Amino acid sequence: MDLLKKINNYLSQPVEPQQKVKLLIDSADELLAYEQQSYAPLFDKVLCLIRKHEMVKEEISLLSKYAYLLRVQGIIEEALLQLKKALQLAEQINNAESIANCYNSIGVCYFVFSKYEEALNYLFLSLEKAEIVGDLELLKSAYYNIGMIHTNRGNLKDALISYQKSLHIGEQVGDYNLQANALNSIGGIYLNKNDLENATTYFYRSLSIGDKVTNLQITAATLNSLGSLNNMQGKPLKGLYYFQKAAAIAKQINDLASHGVIILNIAAIYSNTKKEYLMAFEYLKKAEQIANKLQNKHLLSIVKKEMGNIYFEQSRNTSALKYFEESLKIANTYSYQLLKAGNLIKIASIYYGKKEYEYALKHANNVLQLTKEISLHKEQEEALCIIINCHKALNNFEILCAYYEELVLVKQTIYDISKSETIEQLHAEYQAKEQAQEIEQQKILLLEKQAMNEILQQKNKELENFARVASHDLKAPLRIIISFSQLLQRSLKNEEEETKEYLEFIDKSAHKMNQLIEDLIAYARTGIDLKSAKPINLNYVLADVQKNLMLPIKQRKAILHIPELPLIKGHYTLLLQLFQNMLGNALKYQKENTIPIIKISFKENPNQTHWDFCISDNGIGIDQKYFEKILMPFKRLHTNKEYPGSGLGLASCVKIVTIYHSTIKIQSQKGQGTTFSFSLPKG
């Protein structure tokens, strides 16, 4: 009672009424540990406080919370009374969200009360309101509750649809508790259909999520399902182990509804498998007490039927008939169609055994009528067998033919359904196998990609290290050139202007060489792409290229035809490398005693986003069969003695134009010069 004292003390302090009310509502879940009688006075006190300050929304919230406390303790009528008060208030202030929540809670109360029609009416009203206000939390809850009602009424197809909708929304909003419950319920439907593979999959998915959120109620429900699964797989002792674990958890958290269902399953193990009828009856008595306390008519009807089954197994038909008829009476009142059919079959069997054929026919015909309303083919088959046997015993042979024809049709329907389900299962297994193979293939591809990435990272690291070492080695002689050229400039103050011009040229070239090395090391470290490109004036680039190639141009007396060039979107260093390599090759690969004639031309590309460039020369030309080879790194057609080089020039050009989403095309014939063409983006 420490919590109640704490709250009472807090309420007596001079704080805002809203804070007092919020404390009680927030503490309501903790108060579940206490009896309702202890909570009622506190509820009345806070309700007076709320009404005094006309806090309508808070009153709706408190009434709803109080109703929840009452419902979980089995006081359903009082819970309904409080919820209808809350609904009336919500309608007065026209609060759609509160109205939808009240509809949902009232539907749940009627569901627990086993009044399924009323429950569905309120839950569908809740769905309608929740869709209007876009309340996903409420939608998932309403769909799940509707699924439970369909399950209890034996309408498994609609139940599965509702659970799947609830699961989908639960995944959207990240509600792990609801996901686990929905998965468990879907597994239960597959278990009911004897699809043990799918049932196992869903139960273990539910258990996995339940463990993540450490929700004992979900854990208990899933352990109960695993108990049923193992029992159906012919492992009753393992099933009993799961049931007992589930029962202990349900008792620990005071979840009476779950505890009652689990105890019922334990009783079934003792009755059906172990044939320990006294032990089974003891568990059924406990389940009956819980059902009466919760006023859970569905559970009570099942308990009565199971008690009847125990007596039926022992051929104590008078006692069995008493319990079957009690269960049937409840099932008739609350429209539990599946239970109704099961009880009618048992009662008809007992009357047939007692040779009271008219009574047996009456109950078997009731089953046939019921199976026309809902699809219960196995029960229909059993009822037809009883009817046929009764008419045989009564010598009513003239009407047997019609019943035999109906029985054949039912057996054919059962076969067709079984065949269809088998085909669906095989198809699902095939799809699952294909999906598994695809996932495995994707895993292999991913591993290969990861391995390639690791190799690439290693190569990049090696490249970076190489670039660092190379730049250091290249910079050392450059520093000497720069230093000594500056010393010479200072010592030749009064010397000829031409000498000073040459020294200035050496100094500028050395500084440009230094910048080129810096750019190359940056490229090696970070890479270059089109995103980092800037507008570049190609005229400046070609001016620097001509300065760098001044000696071979002068030596060969080369003639260069270079028009006014456009702006390009690119990188200065890369464009310098591109044109310098192209012009350098055009100067180098010439016949002896021939004056090189090199022409650069360009025109707009048809896509209007690029310029198309051509660099033509009158050099030695290239045989067509070597076009691909010369563009590859370290591939040369000549010896160093003939034409010195490393074989990297054109390969570098290919890499550069690739950055600009272009390729290098070659037009050439041996001995007749060469034309290289490529595109560059407009600046």
Side-chain angles (χ1 to χ4, degrees):
M1 300 300 292
D2 291 342
L3 180 62
L4 294 178
K5 286 179 182 177
K6 182 180 173 184
I7 293 172
N8 269 316
N9 290 337
Y10 185 80
L11 292 177
S12 64
Q13 292 175 12
V15 294
E16 288 294 320
Q18 286 86 349
Q19 289 179 307
K20 294 180 181 180
V21 172
K22 186 177 183 301
L23 175 69
L24 181 77
I25 294 170
D26 290 347
S27 303
D29 289 332
E30 293 182 63
L31 289 164
L32 279 171
Y34 303 105
E35 291 296 322
Q36 178 263 340
Q37 289 81 2
S38 305
Y39 183 63
L42 190 58
F43 164 75
D44 291 334
K45 185 183 286 189
V46 178
L47 192 59
C48 288
L49 180 69
I50 285 171
R51 286 175 177 166
K52 181 181 175 183
H53 294 279
E54 298 181 349
M55 298 156 65
V56 181
K57 283 187 180 179
E58 285 78 3
E59 185 173 351
I60 294 167
S61 181
L62 182 67
L63 288 169
S64 300
K65 205 72 169 176
Y66 185 46
Y68 172 71
L69 290 167
L70 293 167
R71 177 169 64 79
V72 295
Q73 293 170 45
I75 310 165
I76 310 299
E77 288 180 352
E78 181 64 24
L80 272 170
L81 182 66
Q82 300 298 337
L83 284 169
K84 286 180 178 178
K85 287 179 185 177
L87 177 61
Q88 194 175 8
L89 288 170
E91 286 173 337
Q92 282 175 13
I93 63 171
N94 196 26
N95 187 312
E97 191 175 345
S98 296
I99 292 169
N101 276 304
C102 288
Y103 281 150
N104 185 62
S105 299
I106 291 169
V108 172
C109 281
Y110 277 121
F111 167 59
V112 175
F113 227 178
S114 302
K115 294 186 176 181
Y116 293 148
E117 287 303 323
E118 292 93 331
L120 281 174
N121 286 337
Y122 275 103
L123 288 169
F124 281 124
L125 284 170
S126 175
L127 275 181
E128 190 180 325
K129 285 284 183 186
E131 282 172 354
I132 291 169
V133 298
D135 189 339
L136 292 178
E137 291 289 331
L138 193 55
L139 278 172
K140 64 181 171 56
S141 175
Y143 275 124
Y144 183 77
N145 292 328
I146 289 167
M148 288 200 290
I149 293 170
H150 285 315
T151 301
N152 281 12
R153 299 183 81 177
N155 188 355
L156 300 183
K157 186 179 178 182
D158 286 341
L160 185 60
I161 292 167
S162 295
Y163 288 139
Q164 285 171 335
K165 285 181 178 178
S166 176
L167 176 62
H168 178 66
I169 299 170
E171 287 171 341
Q172 276 184 284
V173 299
D175 185 340
Y176 293 114
N177 288 327
L178 184 119
Q179 285 177 51
N181 279 322
L183 287 165
N184 185 48
S185 299
I186 292 168
I189 288 175
Y190 282 115
L191 186 66
N192 198 283
K193 292 167 73 176
N194 208 30
D195 184 349
L196 303 186
E197 188 174 343
N198 270 319
T200 305
T201 301
Y202 279 100
F203 289 150
Y204 277 107
R205 279 180 66 191
S206 174
L207 193 62
S208 172
I209 293 174
D211 287 342
K212 281 181 188 174
V213 295
T214 59
N215 186 316
L216 292 177
Q217 191 175 28
I218 293 170
T219 304
T222 310
L223 287 170
N224 178 55
S225 299
L226 288 170
S228 298
L229 177 67
N230 279 278
N231 194 29
M232 284 188 73
Q233 288 175 326
K235 304 171 187 174
L237 291 177
K238 195 170 181 182
L240 185 60
Y241 164 76
Y242 280 119
F243 287 141
Q244 286 170 337
K245 279 188 75 174
I249 293 170
K251 190 174 181 180
Q252 176 193 337
I253 61 175
N254 197 28
D255 184 354
L256 289 178
S258 298
H259 197 214
V261 172
I262 297 162
I263 286 173
L264 192 66
N265 289 330
I266 293 172
I269 294 268
Y270 280 110
S271 170
N272 301 333
T273 308
K274 302 183 82 174
K275 306 298 180 186
E276 295 180 23
Y277 298 120
L278 285 175
M279 182 67 79
F281 213 85
E282 284 299 315
Y283 276 104
L284 288 173
K285 281 288 183 186
K286 290 178 184 177
E288 184 182 26
Q289 288 171 4
I290 291 170
N292 283 325
K293 185 174 181 181
L294 293 175
Q295 300 177 54
N296 188 328
K297 301 301 180 184
H298 186 262
L299 180 60
L300 187 61
S301 181
I302 297 172
V303 169
K304 296 287 185 185
K305 182 174 177 287
E306 290 303 316
M307 287 176 168
N309 279 332
I310 287 175
Y311 284 116
F312 186 78
E313 287 293 318
Q314 298 175 84
S315 301
R316 296 167 66 181
N317 288 336
T318 304
S319 296
L321 192 60
K322 170 181 172 285
Y323 282 109
F324 287 138
E325 285 178 340
E326 285 180 10
S327 177
L328 180 62
K329 186 179 178 181
I330 299 168
N332 276 329
T333 306
Y334 297 101
S335 301
Y336 305 148
Q337 307 293 57
L338 198 58
L339 276 168
K340 189 176 174 182
N343 281 305
L344 284 168
I345 291 287
K346 291 292 185 182
I347 293 167
S349 297
I350 290 170
Y351 280 123
Y352 174 75
K354 292 170 74 174
K355 298 185 180 180
E356 296 182 30
Y357 301 124
E358 293 301 329
Y359 282 111
L361 282 169
K362 176 188 170 184
H363 287 88
N365 278 313
N366 282 341
V367 175
L368 283 189
Q369 185 60 40
L370 186 64
T371 56
K372 287 176 183 177
E373 298 169 17
I374 54 173
S375 299
L376 298 170
H377 302 296
K378 287 182 181 177
E379 288 78 1
Q380 191 178 3
E381 182 185 15
E382 288 182 61
L384 283 166
C385 288
I386 292 170
I387 290 168
I388 289 167
N389 288 332
C390 285
H391 283 301
K392 276 183 183 177
L394 293 167
N395 296 317
N396 296 332
F397 296 109
E398 66 279 1
I399 61 171
L400 280 177
C401 187
Y403 284 112
Y404 271 121
E405 284 178 1
E406 192 174 350
L407 181 61
V408 168
L409 286 173
V410 171
K411 284 180 177 290
Q412 183 62 44
T413 302
I414 291 170
Y415 171 76
D416 289 343
I417 290 169
S418 176
K419 182 181 173 183
S420 174
E421 286 177 349
T422 304
I423 290 168
E424 280 180 18
Q425 190 172 343
L426 287 170
H427 181 64
E429 285 173 5
Y430 174 75
Q431 282 186 320
K433 191 176 179 182
E434 273 200 330
Q435 193 175 11
Q437 286 175 343
E438 190 179 336
I439 290 167
E440 193 60 36
Q441 188 64 34
Q442 286 175 349
K443 283 181 182 175
I444 292 167
L445 289 172
L446 183 62
L447 287 170
E448 286 177 353
K449 191 176 179 181
Q450 286 173 345
M452 289 299 292
N453 282 339
E454 285 174 11
I455 293 168
L456 187 60
Q457 285 174 4
Q458 183 62 33
K459 292 292 180 188
N460 283 339
K461 193 175 276 188
E462 289 172 6
L463 177 62
E464 186 180 336
N465 290 335
F466 168 76
R468 191 182 293 112
V469 171
S471 68
H472 179 269
D473 291 348
L474 285 168
K475 282 181 178 181
L478 271 177
R479 281 194 292 271
I480 294 169
I481 293 168
I482 291 167
S483 299
F484 277 94
S485 65
Q486 288 171 348
L487 286 171
L488 275 169
Q489 280 180 303
R490 284 196 290 272
S491 65
L492 294 171
K493 284 181 182 179
N494 300 316
E495 296 297 325
E496 295 180 10
E497 284 299 319
E498 189 178 358
T499 307
K500 287 176 71 177
E501 187 182 335
Y502 289 159
L503 286 170
E504 281 176 17
F505 178 74
I506 293 169
D507 186 52
K508 284 178 183 176
S509 296
H511 277 95
K512 281 180 183 176
M513 184 68 175
N514 190 62
Q515 185 58 49
L516 179 60
I517 292 167
E518 291 289 347
D519 290 344
L520 285 172
I521 190 71
Y523 174 51
R525 284 175 179 165
T526 62
I528 292 177
D529 57 27
L530 200 54
K531 290 177 185 176
S532 60
K534 295 176 182 177
I536 302 292
N537 190 329
L538 270 187
N539 295 297
Y540 297 150
V541 173
L542 265 295
D544 281 341
V545 168
Q546 289 178 77
K547 284 179 185 176
N548 293 341
L549 297 175
M550 183 190 294
L551 285 177
I553 290 170
K554 279 189 175 182
Q555 286 170 357
R556 302 299 301 266
K557 299 179 181 177
I559 300 168
L560 274 61
H561 297 286
I562 302 173
E564 187 72 22
L565 296 170
L567 281 177
I568 293 298
K569 188 178 180 183
H571 308 81
Y572 195 93
T573 302
L574 296 187
L575 293 171
L576 183 72
Q577 280 184 273
L578 174 65
F579 282 95
Q580 189 164 307
N581 275 317
M582 288 286 186
L583 267 62
N585 283 345
L587 291 165
K588 184 196 302 182
Y589 294 104
Q590 292 283 341
K591 290 175 262 183
E592 282 187 32
N593 304 318
T594 301
I595 294 174
I597 301 172
I598 303 167
K599 182 182 178 183
I600 297 177
S601 62
F602 70 95
K603 64 179 179 179
E604 190 175 40
N605 188 284
N607 64 20
Q608 298 184 343
T609 60
H610 285 64
W611 294 108
D612 291 338
F613 288 87
C614 290
I615 300 177
S616 305
D617 64 54
N618 61 339
I620 61 173
I622 307 162
D623 195 322
Q624 191 172 349
K625 65 182 177 182
Y626 296 121
F627 282 2
E628 285 187 22
K629 184 178 179 180
I630 63 164
L631 297 175
M632 296 168 67
F634 305 109
K635 299 294 182 184
R636 306 194 70 230
L637 305 182
H638 307 278
T639 63
N640 258 331
K641 189 174 180 182
E642 292 174 303
Y643 298 101
S646 63
L648 281 171
L650 280 176
S652 298
C653 293
V654 169
K655 200 167 183 180
I656 291 165
V657 297
T658 302
I659 292 169
Y660 302 118
H661 307 303
S662 181
T663 55
I664 291 177
K665 294 175 184 175
I666 305 171
Q667 286 181 316
S668 183
Q669 286 184 7
K670 195 169 182 180
Q672 296 185 21
T674 305
T675 299
F676 291 94
S677 57
F678 52 89
S679 298
L680 293 173
K682 287 183 175 183

